[in-house]
Amino acid sequence: MQYEKFDWKILKTEHFDIYYYDNFGEMAEIGAKFAEDAFDEYKVKFNNYISRKIPLIFYNTHIQFEQTNIASGFIPEGVGGFFEFIKGRVVIPYLGSIEEFKHVIRHELVHVFMSNKIYNVLKDHRVSTDKAPPLWFTEGLAEYWSFNGDTQSEMIMRDAVLNGYFVDLPNLYSIEGTYLMYKEGQYFLQFISKQYGEDKILLLMENFWRFSTFEKVIEFTLGDKIEEINNKWVFSLKQKYFPLYQKNYPISIKAIKLTDSGFNFAPRFYSADTTKEIYFVGNKDGYTSIYKMNYEPDNEEFVEPIRVIQGEKDAIFEAFHLLDNSFDVSKNGIIAFVTKSLGSDVIHLFSINENKLIDTFKFDELISIRSLSFSNDGKKIVFSATDKKGFVDIFLLDLTENKLNRITNDYYSDTDPIFNKDGSAIIFCSDRTGGIFSQKVNLFEININSREIKYLTYTNCNISTPHFNPEYNKLYFTCDYDGVYNIWELNLTDSIPIGMTQLTKFVTSAYDFSFVNNTTVVTAGFEKFSFQFYSIDLANVSDTAKKYVKFNFDQTGVKWDAGKISLQSEAQKVKYEKQYSLDYAVSQLVTDPVYGTRGGALFLLSDLMGDDNYLFYIYNTAEVQSEILKNFNVAISRINLGERANYGYGIFHYAGRRYDIRESDEFFYERVFGGYFDLFYPFSSFDRIETDVSLANSDKELFEDIIGRKSLLLSNSLSFVHDNSIWGPTGPLDGSRFRVLLGYTSDIKYSNVNYYSFILDYRKYFRLGLRTTLAARASIFINHGKQARRYFAGGSWDLRGWPRFGIRGEKLWLSSVELRFPLIDLLLINFPIFGLSFFNIRGALYFDAGSAWDNSYYQTLGSIGTGIRINLFNAIVLRYDVGKKIENNFKHFQPKLFYQFFFGFDF
């Protein structure tokens, strides 16, 4: 969805055309400096120079990045940017941290240089240029050469190796596209650099042309068999991580586990009377929602959470930010939480006692909102937000006056703010750290009245999620001092910070936490690739296990300054004007025993932003040479996606032999020319209206050389479409989808055609378990009037067992009930030379019913059976059904079974 029209500008540097909008100019100049520095580094690393200007497109926030038309389809929150190969465009959102901005820019530019390097290597050796290294290598190298690693990478690899889900080199294909694949690829290349030398990584690309498989390239370049390389790598990881158990421990060993399913974040303890509850943001069924659960650490059974607010099924709660700290509960029972609503984030207030939403706050200048926290009296909320400049700053919302105050205003990333006890100051995390620990995220305190900022910590690590204990006499936080996030305590002498003490020593990370009492916390912990809640007694830590780090504030120096590109003149800043280039061109030649030989071509042009598209379509349906001029088919369309309302229009000319299921099985010749206009307007990601109008002049030969039917057809329709379903490997699992359409078609010149159309297609998915669904469909299709077109049914997508196109009528109804369930999660077949693996094989039990008729209803048809579905390459679903047709108005089953193979997702 396009919520706003971006006013694009261009910053021209030596090697880049950098596109930005609004007031993002300062951040664009910082990003330009990162890009030029990376270019100078990578041209040496890759031994390759890119002579063309690289388009680098910046979005202020991820919410606006999700609106891009450069990539089609939905962009989830986990995507930090992408490199588009056709036009060489690099698209990057600012994610709130300059250091992360630098990382993503460098990551995507590795892709640019690698694709150029591989293309040149293949071209120079006269090898087809359509082959590419495996994804684990391309993404692993982009991570390895873009930054020095981070806490999350270390946590993932520790957990994978120690808990047994690490995938070795020969089997990396099995986790293609996952986050673990990125990290394993990165760590494998680090291993190559250390074990065999950094130069071998470049040689892997320069030797890529030599062999048909990448394993052979690795063996040739490194001089060892793939089995030996893999054994060395796996052993090095075990050497690195298994000794951690001497001084560290799994979180499940030293804490009480409270949950065992789903993904759970931001626990907030709430107590009223005798009730002790934890409210949190979680995803247990594919939709992120707000849940509550009783706090019962002594219960031998896991407490089942109850959903309080259903998320991600309507516009107001369009998307929760699951991985961000965007949730808090006040002492008087008010939940504050953030959701994406249309084009920006909003803050909602929900009353626990009244069980209803009581207020929503939207701020015109703020796009993304994070890290909500109530004041002690519950009258104020402090939070972190990204404005239209891309600055991530602290804001204070006074709930009694509905007034917003900005606390900080600069390009440093200020996050996770909390109030002190009396609300006079705010403690927050920031990368404004100067001196020898420059850009590390430390704790700071700002006086609300004077706006004076002072250090609370100064250490060479990153700190997040600070919290006071209930008595407000101690401050705790998470810190990655030992490589992953653990819980630490701030040490004070006469109210002056002097150091910090580590209280937990988990092998993997503890994230945001909440106090149950003065010493007990509930935290979200990561273990076995799962985020679950744990109860921890911080008082039960021996003094010998505690690590103490002393601060030296004399080394803080001055705040670091982000470097910017140096521009020679204002002419290097220009306004964006649309320039069109070819996206792709496809030609095709077909020979058919019925239709003869025909050929055509399709061309697509678009502007750099992908907003404005022109489609050219030409082909010929002549069956003999004399008909070539008579049977040219041409269509020219323009499709504009750059605004909230998407529209398209065009002209067309179609001619040739046709087949119409309305009258008979005979062919006829028809020539049609005209134009059309389409308009789609989305109310939200779940609902939209669609309308289209077309005017077509038709000359149809019903009986050759005897009679024809001429008409000037005006067709128009209006539809309402809803879809909030979520999908599994083979089709929808939850939610609902429907379309309601009204249409009218009329011959406005000769009155030879005149009919109306009505369609209602409703589909509902009832979740019976995490991966088991009962799917139901009820549809009716009506065309009524003079020369009304027929609908058709039969086949794998509607009435299974009946022949495709075999059920025809101007009126049609269909219904289906299908139980979808997991059948085989993984099937491995090992041959002496190679192996095959199949994932996510699903089973189905179904019952279909329906019928079609023109004037008089005469029979009801049906089928019942079972089937299997296999998703291949996450792109195509193969379906095989077995069953029996129900014939003669449901009076009997067919004598034998039918067997039907098809492809396509479930309804």
Side-chain angles (χ1 to χ4, degrees):
M1 284 184 61
Q2 296 284 326
Y3 296 102
E4 56 189 291
K5 190 173 179 64
F6 299 115
D7 182 22
W8 290 101
K9 307 175 185 68
I10 309 176
L11 179 65
K12 292 183 173 291
T13 69
E14 182 180 359
H15 302 105
F16 298 91
D17 284 338
I18 296 175
Y19 298 80
Y20 66 98
Y21 56 90
D22 286 347
N23 300 317
F24 199 69
E26 183 175 8
M27 299 305 299
E29 292 176 2
I30 293 172
K33 179 69 163 55
F34 292 150
E36 286 292 347
D37 289 347
F39 190 99
D40 290 340
E41 177 184 340
Y42 291 158
K43 69 183 181 185
V44 177
K45 275 184 175 290
F46 284 93
N47 190 25
N48 185 64
Y49 188 87
I50 299 176
S51 57
R52 63 176 177 85
K53 282 284 191 81
I54 301 171
L56 190 55
I57 301 162
F58 291 149
Y59 282 89
N60 296 17
T61 65
H62 201 283
I63 287 178
Q64 293 177 332
F65 168 63
E66 292 169 20
Q67 301 176 42
T68 187
N69 286 316
I70 294 172
S72 61
F74 175 71
I75 298 178
E77 289 194 12
V79 176
F82 62 86
F83 167 53
E84 181 272 330
F85 289 85
I86 294 177
K87 294 185 178 181
R89 295 168 288 189
V90 177
V91 189
I92 295 173
Y94 183 68
L95 300 178
S97 161
I98 288 181
E99 187 63 24
E100 180 64 14
F101 194 35
K102 178 181 178 180
H103 167 209
V104 177
I105 289 172
R106 291 172 57 84
H107 177 106
E108 300 304 333
L109 290 182
V110 169
H111 287 316
V112 176
F113 274 85
M114 182 192 296
S115 65
N116 194 67
K117 175 72 176 182
I118 294 294
Y119 176 84
N120 288 334
V121 166
L122 296 175
K123 182 181 177 182
D124 290 346
H125 291 89
R126 294 181 175 86
V127 176
S128 175
T129 57
D130 61 353
K131 56 183 292 193
L135 190 61
W136 67 259
F137 178 80
T138 59
E139 296 297 347
L141 184 61
E143 286 291 272
Y144 175 46
W145 276 359
S146 62
F147 76 132
N148 295 323
D150 62 352
T151 306
Q152 195 173 56
S153 302
E154 180 66 12
M155 177 190 74
I156 292 291
M157 290 303 295
R158 283 187 184 186
D159 191 56
V161 173
L162 294 177
N163 287 305
Y165 63 87
F166 170 80
V167 180
D168 63 3
L169 186 60
N171 297 300
L172 272 179
Y173 69 91
S174 66
I175 56 169
E176 183 163 314
T178 64
Y179 183 77
L180 179 60
M181 180 215 70
Y182 278 62
K183 299 296 100 181
E184 289 204 16
Q186 172 190 344
Y187 277 59
F188 177 67
L189 293 173
Q190 289 177 354
F191 162 77
I192 288 179
S193 179
K194 182 178 179 180
Q195 183 75 22
Y196 294 93
E198 180 76 6
D199 62 304
K200 300 298 184 186
I201 295 176
L202 178 61
L203 285 175
L204 285 172
M205 290 177 275
E206 294 186 338
N207 291 330
F208 183 61
W209 65 275
R210 294 178 179 271
F211 303 96
S212 59
T213 67
F214 199 66
E215 284 192 358
K216 293 294 185 182
V217 176
I218 295 174
E219 289 179 335
F220 177 81
T221 304
L222 303 185
D224 286 330
K225 289 293 184 182
I226 200 73
E227 293 81 5
E228 185 177 349
I229 297 168
N230 179 63
N231 290 338
K232 289 179 180 179
W233 179 41
V234 173
F235 179 66
S236 70
L237 291 172
K238 290 179 178 179
Q239 278 187 311
K240 178 180 179 181
Y241 290 128
F242 279 112
L244 291 173
Y245 278 145
Q246 292 180 343
K247 296 183 178 179
N248 299 274
Y249 40 82
I251 190 170
S252 56
I253 297 297
K254 290 288 187 177
I256 301 173
K257 193 174 184 181
L258 303 178
T259 59
D260 70 335
S261 65
F263 295 89
N264 311 282
F265 295 90
R268 294 294 179 264
F269 180 77
Y270 174 70
S271 177
D273 299 326
T274 59
T275 302
K276 294 182 178 181
E277 297 174 323
I278 299 170
Y279 287 81
F280 63 96
V281 178
N283 192 314
K284 296 182 174 298
D285 57 4
Y287 297 99
T288 302
S289 303
I290 293 178
Y291 292 86
K292 71 175 181 180
M293 58 182 288
N294 292 332
Y295 176 69
E296 301 175 8
D298 297 327
N299 194 332
E300 293 183 0
E301 302 291 332
F302 291 110
V303 177
E304 185 67 25
I306 299 171
R307 186 165 55 206
V308 178
I309 300 172
Q310 170 71 68
E312 303 180 341
K313 280 195 172 183
D314 51 34
I316 191 170
F317 304 141
E318 182 176 323
F320 282 80
H321 305 298
L322 182 64
L323 298 177
D324 293 311
N325 173 24
S326 304
F327 180 78
D328 199 20
V329 180
S330 68
K331 293 179 179 179
N332 56 351
I334 303 298
I335 300 175
F337 63 98
V338 173
T339 68
K340 177 178 178 288
S341 181
L342 300 179
S344 65
D345 282 342
V346 299
I347 297 175
H348 303 287
L349 299 183
F350 181 89
S351 171
I352 293 175
N353 297 327
E354 299 176 56
N355 192 33
K356 69 176 185 179
L357 193 70
I358 58 176
D359 215 339
T360 296
F361 298 92
K362 178 180 173 62
F363 311 103
D364 292 338
E365 294 302 312
L366 303 183
I367 304 168
S368 297
I369 300 175
R370 301 290 187 272
S371 311
L372 300 178
S373 182
F374 278 103
S375 60
N376 193 27
D377 60 9
K379 295 180 180 180
K380 297 177 182 178
I381 297 176
V382 65
F383 59 90
S384 174
T386 307
D387 65 9
K388 292 185 176 181
K389 299 190 296 290
F391 289 0
V392 181
D393 290 313
I394 306 300
F395 294 84
L396 191 156
L397 175 62
D398 190 322
L399 299 177
T400 59
E401 301 179 1
N402 286 347
K403 183 179 179 181
L404 183 70
N405 293 312
R406 187 170 193 147
I407 305 301
T408 60
N409 190 357
D410 49 44
Y411 55 62
Y412 301 114
S413 179
D414 301 330
T415 61
D416 294 343
I418 61 171
F419 288 100
N420 65 353
K421 185 174 185 179
D422 62 9
S424 62
I426 294 171
I427 290 89
F428 63 99
C429 303
S430 179
D431 62 356
R432 62 182 64 236
T433 306
I436 61 173
F437 302 145
S438 179
Q439 286 190 262
K440 290 295 182 180
V441 179
N442 274 280
L443 274 184
F444 296 82
E445 182 180 78
I446 183 169
N447 185 285
I448 293 177
N449 294 321
S450 68
R451 304 299 168 92
E452 179 187 357
I453 299 176
K454 64 179 182 180
Y455 283 90
L456 292 183
T457 66
Y458 188 70
T459 182
N460 189 30
C461 58
N462 297 298
I463 290 173
S464 63
T465 61
H467 291 284
F468 283 101
N469 64 351
E471 294 183 0
Y472 276 86
N473 59 359
K474 291 184 179 181
L475 181 63
Y476 299 81
F477 47 86
T478 55
C479 174
D480 66 353
Y481 189 89
D482 60 351
V484 294
Y485 281 103
N486 273 288
I487 298 175
W488 292 63
E489 177 188 344
L490 183 67
N491 302 128
L492 303 170
T493 298
D494 297 329
S495 299
I496 298 174
I498 58 171
M500 62 183 191
T501 301
Q502 185 174 4
L503 299 181
T504 64
K505 295 179 70 65
F506 301 136
V507 176
T508 52
S509 289
Y511 283 87
D512 196 14
F513 59 93
S514 178
F515 276 90
V516 174
N517 54 46
N518 247 13
T519 59
T520 304
V521 298
V522 175
T523 184
F526 181 82
E527 187 174 278
K528 298 180 180 178
F529 211 79
S530 177
F531 291 92
Q532 303 300 330
F533 289 152
Y534 298 85
S535 180
I536 305 170
D537 184 1
L538 298 179
N540 189 23
V541 180
S542 64
D543 292 336
T544 57
K546 296 179 180 179
K547 179 186 291 184
Y548 176 75
V549 176
K550 185 178 180 181
F551 304 143
N552 184 356
F553 293 108
D554 294 334
Q555 297 176 317
T556 57
V558 297
K559 290 186 297 185
W560 59 273
D561 179 68
K564 302 177 186 177
I565 197 73
S566 178
L567 300 178
Q568 301 300 318
S569 69
E570 283 299 313
Q572 291 179 271
K573 289 183 178 181
V574 297
K575 193 172 180 65
Y576 168 71
E577 294 182 359
K578 292 181 180 179
Q579 294 181 338
Y580 298 88
S581 59
L582 184 68
D583 284 6
Y584 59 82
V586 180
S587 61
Q588 183 172 310
L589 182 67
V590 177
T591 297
D592 183 89
V594 176
Y595 289 99
T597 301
R598 58 197 60 201
L602 180 70
F603 303 89
L604 177 65
L605 301 176
S606 70
D607 72 317
L608 189 76
M609 299 302 166
D611 295 336
D612 214 13
N613 302 267
Y614 287 88
L615 193 67
F616 299 89
Y617 179 43
I618 181 171
Y619 71 101
N620 196 285
T621 59
E623 297 171 32
V624 295
Q625 186 174 356
S626 61
E627 294 180 349
I628 289 180
L629 296 179
K630 182 182 176 182
N631 287 274
F632 262 110
N633 292 258
V634 179
I636 302 174
S637 301
R638 182 195 180 194
I639 303 170
N640 188 281
L641 306 174
E643 300 180 31
R644 180 72 171 269
N646 298 164
Y647 62 87
Y649 56 85
I651 57 175
F652 54 84
H653 174 275
Y654 299 131
R657 273 208 303 168
R658 303 283 186 265
Y659 171 78
D660 195 339
I661 61 174
R662 164 137 184 53
E663 301 293 343
S664 64
D665 291 334
E666 296 182 358
F667 291 92
F668 61 88
Y669 177 85
E670 184 178 18
R671 178 172 177 261
V672 180
F673 62 89
Y676 77 93
F677 176 80
D678 289 339
L679 177 68
F680 290 12
Y681 186 86
F683 298 108
S684 70
S685 295
F686 310 114
D687 303 296
R688 68 180 183 271
I689 57 171
E690 301 176 358
T691 183
D692 67 82
V693 178
S694 67
L695 184 64
N697 188 88
S698 170
D699 189 354
K700 183 177 180 181
E701 295 179 359
L702 297 180
F703 302 99
E704 190 172 357
D705 299 328
I706 299 177
I707 189 172
R709 189 212 69 187
K710 296 181 181 295
S711 58
L712 183 61
L713 296 175
L714 177 65
S715 298
N716 50 76
S717 69
L718 178 67
S719 302
F720 180 80
V721 182
H722 164 83
D723 188 347
N724 64 12
S725 61
I726 57 171
W727 287 54
T730 61
L733 289 175
D734 201 345
S736 61
R737 309 161 70 199
F738 67 82
R739 175 189 293 272
V740 180
L741 178 146
L742 291 173
Y744 186 72
T745 301
S746 177
D747 179 358
I748 61 176
K749 187 174 182 180
Y750 303 102
S751 296
N752 286 325
V753 179
N754 191 348
Y755 65 91
Y756 69 84
S757 303
F758 172 75
I759 295 175
L760 174 60
D761 187 352
Y762 182 81
R763 306 169 188 202
K764 177 69 176 176
Y765 311 97
F766 302 92
R767 201 75 164 272
L768 304 180
L770 185 62
R771 297 184 295 166
T772 303
T773 296
L774 183 66
R777 172 177 59 184
S779 307
I780 185 166
F781 305 83
I782 297 174
N783 280 337
H784 184 74
K786 187 177 181 180
Q787 289 288 310
R789 286 187 176 272
R790 280 179 165 176
Y791 297 102
F792 57 86
S796 183
W797 276 338
D798 35 60
L799 281 172
R800 281 162 278 205
W802 296 89
R804 191 68 173 161
F805 307 111
I807 302 167
R808 310 173 183 178
E810 295 173 8
K811 288 86 175 174
L812 172 71
W813 72 269
L814 295 167
S815 67
S816 296
V817 178
E818 182 172 283
L819 178 66
R820 299 168 182 168
F821 51 89
L823 189 62
I824 301 173
D825 286 333
L826 175 62
L827 178 64
L828 293 174
I829 304 175
N830 286 322
F831 295 97
I833 301 176
F834 66 95
L836 293 176
S837 59
F838 300 92
F839 303 89
N840 295 322
I841 301 175
R842 297 292 181 256
L845 298 172
Y846 62 85
F847 168 72
D848 298 335
S851 184
W853 71 101
D854 288 337
N855 299 313
S856 299
Y857 188 90
Y858 60 94
Q859 69 171 335
T860 301
L861 309 173
S863 61
I864 189 169
T866 185
I868 62 172
R869 289 88 175 90
I870 303 175
N871 188 320
L872 291 183
F873 315 117
N874 203 29
I876 185 172
V877 175
L878 303 183
R879 302 151 52 97
Y880 187 75
D881 291 316
V882 179
K884 280 182 174 288
K885 293 190 292 185
I886 309 175
E887 301 173 323
N888 195 18
N889 278 317
F890 271 54
K891 291 181 179 179
H892 59 78
F893 291 100
Q894 72 176 114
K896 297 182 179 180
L897 293 172
F898 67 79
Y899 305 90
Q900 195 166 49
F901 174 79
F902 202 63
F903 57 89
F905 287 91
D906 290 323
F907 72 81

